[in-house]
Amino acid sequence: MTARAADRARYDRATAHLDAPVAIVDLEAFDANADDLLRRAGGKPIRVASKSVRCRALLERVLERDGFAGVMSFTLAESLWLARSGFEDVLLAYPSADRARYAELAADPKLASAVTVMIDDPAQLDLIDAARDGGREVVRVCLELDTSLRLLGGRVRVGARRSPLHSPAQVADLARAVVRRPGFQVVGIMAYEGHVAGVGDAVAGRPLRSRAVRLMQGAARRELAERRAAVVRAVRAVVPGLEFVNGGGTGSVQHTAAEDAVTEIAAGSGLYVPRLFDNYTSFRGRPAALFAQPVVRRPGVGVVAVLGGGYPASGAPGADRLPEPYLPEGLRYDSQEGAGEVQTPLLGTPADDLLIGDKVWFRHAKAGELCERFDALHLVEGDAVTATVPTYRGEGHTYL
């Protein structure tokens, strides 16, 4: 029996009392992935990206481990909810235009001390001030650096279109604008190198593309390390008491941690290890989060149909954004139908061994987005479900 077949047997036994659709997290794999992230971080603390987990119980579980510290959130409403739930260090990774929540933040000393918001433009400060509604608490802010690699005099850009702040002078100018403005405090810098951390460099069947990605990423890491260090020096000249410099992501933990200028690493997807993280040379994780759909039809030889399953991930549309039929091994989508809203046909020899009601296990393309489809995660240890915990959705929250 292969390791994957053994996992399938365990998951089927553990969830025999549960009807599919159902979502699980294998705690042994989850904890092993956490250990691997810590190993690669080399002693620097890891801030957990909540969008990649979307489950309070699992955020609490990983933050109980030495080496993990703080949460990186994805909306302001979520940030305030986490702070009210006892999370004491929440960094909002994206600028917000949520005026009502800014009013809450500026009026509550506990929230203002626990939550740091992201900015990259003075207009965002204007919006916050206009939203204060009398609140006088100092708002902690983090400045985001654009990490994109620019070549040929800027005519070629590689990297996400995020912050407009690219040079040390630009970031330092914004820091000075914040320092001059009452009611705000610069406490950190963030720089997410998604073109390194979030792009696989060993795509199966694409050797030339994979080599090109590795060359690009090597150049991007060198350029960013030099520029990030210069940005930190420039900002520290304005804000000597800077508390943190955040960088990285699951795919670049060890590289970012090697930079002296970086004080903490962000990571989250590496806990669940979705399918998009199969194509990396720098690490190998264990799939920890899966969902099962039930077989509801047997249309013919070598074909079954499962209920639903059309859970595409965000990003540029493509086959790599679809969930992966994972267990039993050897199933594939019908190219004419793909993953369906209510029915998904699956082809392959293993289909002939599946009966009505059997579970087919899938891996989502991304990590936390799976939790938007399920209100609970069943935590598996060995071949038993030892706990069932709510996702954000299960607690009545759908932040995006």
Side-chain angles (χ1 to χ4, degrees):
M1 182 181 290
T2 67
R4 279 173 60 173
D7 282 341
R8 180 195 176 201
R10 286 197 302 114
Y11 301 151
D12 283 347
R13 287 194 298 270
T15 62
H17 62 297
L18 298 171
D19 288 332
V22 65
I24 65 168
V25 170
D26 183 333
L27 288 182
E28 181 181 326
F30 182 89
D31 290 342
N33 293 333
D35 287 339
D36 183 66
L37 288 170
L38 291 173
R39 176 188 62 79
R40 292 196 287 135
K44 289 192 175 176
I46 297 174
R47 184 180 292 273
V48 184
S50 64
K51 76 176 181 65
S52 300
V53 179
R54 301 193 203 200
C55 171
R56 273 201 303 166
L58 290 174
L59 287 173
E60 290 166 352
R61 181 185 182 91
V62 72
L63 286 169
E64 288 173 355
R65 303 169 68 97
D66 290 340
F68 288 89
V71 173
M72 176 176 281
S73 57
F74 60 99
T75 74
L76 184 55
E78 178 214 13
S79 304
L80 302 190
W81 176 64
L82 289 174
R84 289 184 172 120
S85 301
F87 294 84
E88 297 178 348
D89 180 5
V90 181
L91 169 63
L92 175 57
Y94 307 87
S96 175
D98 189 337
R99 293 173 174 84
R101 287 348 188 281
Y102 276 132
E104 293 178 35
L105 178 67
D108 189 318
K110 177 183 175 181
L111 297 179
S113 66
V115 175
T116 300
V117 303
M118 192 66 59
I119 68 166
D120 55 32
D121 189 315
Q124 293 152 352
L125 302 176
D126 295 338
L127 186 147
I128 296 170
D129 269 339
R132 283 180 181 271
D133 194 26
R136 297 181 178 276
E137 295 299 321
V138 172
V139 174
R140 294 164 52 88
V141 300
C142 178
L143 313 179
E144 181 169 1
L145 169 68
D146 168 41
T147 65
S148 66
L149 176 65
R150 299 182 182 182
L151 304 171
L152 301 178
R155 293 190 296 276
V156 175
R157 173 196 176 107
V158 181
R161 296 183 182 276
R162 292 175 61 116
S163 170
L165 307 177
H166 190 78
S167 70
Q170 289 174 313
V171 185
D173 283 347
L174 183 56
R176 279 187 283 271
V178 177
V179 168
R180 290 194 297 265
R181 192 155 183 160
F184 295 94
Q185 178 187 6
V186 176
V187 297
I189 298 170
M190 188 191 84
Y192 172 58
E193 54 269 38
H195 50 303
V196 178
V199 178
D201 63 351
V203 182
R206 305 287 296 276
L208 295 179
R209 173 180 168 80
S210 298
R211 177 168 172 75
V213 169
R214 288 194 291 273
L215 290 172
M216 176 276 293
Q217 290 180 339
R221 287 196 302 267
R222 291 188 294 272
E223 186 276 336
L224 179 59
E226 182 177 337
R227 181 159 52 90
R228 181 155 40 198
V231 166
V232 172
R233 288 193 299 270
V235 173
R236 287 196 186 279
V238 179
V239 187
L242 198 67
E243 295 178 15
F244 64 86
V245 177
N246 180 282
T250 289
S252 67
V253 169
Q254 65 272 37
H255 302 297
T256 308
E259 295 183 33
D260 291 338
V262 174
T263 66
E264 63 175 41
I265 309 300
S269 295
L271 296 168
Y272 286 171
V273 185
R275 67 172 295 194
L276 283 178
F277 285 90
D278 287 347
N279 302 320
Y280 285 77
T281 58
S282 59
F283 78 102
R284 287 286 183 273
R286 291 176 55 182
L290 302 97
F291 68 93
Q293 302 294 98
V295 174
V296 292
R297 298 180 193 263
R298 292 171 50 88
V301 176
V303 187
V304 293
V306 299
L307 182 71
Y311 307 159
S314 59
D320 64 346
R321 300 290 152 166
L322 296 178
E324 174 193 20
Y326 185 61
L327 300 171
E329 297 179 68
L331 293 174
R332 67 185 187 279
Y333 290 116
D334 182 333
S335 62
Q336 299 302 309
E337 296 195 49
E341 178 185 7
V342 178
Q343 171 181 294
T344 297
L346 296 171
L347 312 180
T349 302
D352 294 329
D353 296 323
L354 291 169
L355 305 177
I356 300 295
D358 283 352
K359 294 181 175 79
V360 174
W361 294 93
F362 292 79
R363 295 170 65 201
H364 205 279
K366 298 185 77 173
E369 292 182 22
L370 166 65
C371 295
E372 299 300 334
R373 298 287 184 166
F374 292 88
D375 60 9
L377 297 173
H378 301 280
L379 308 184
V380 172
E381 296 183 77
D383 59 359
V385 170
T386 57
T388 298
V389 295
T391 61
Y392 280 12
R393 174 177 170 170
E395 296 200 67
H397 300 290
T398 52
Y399 290 113
L400 278 179

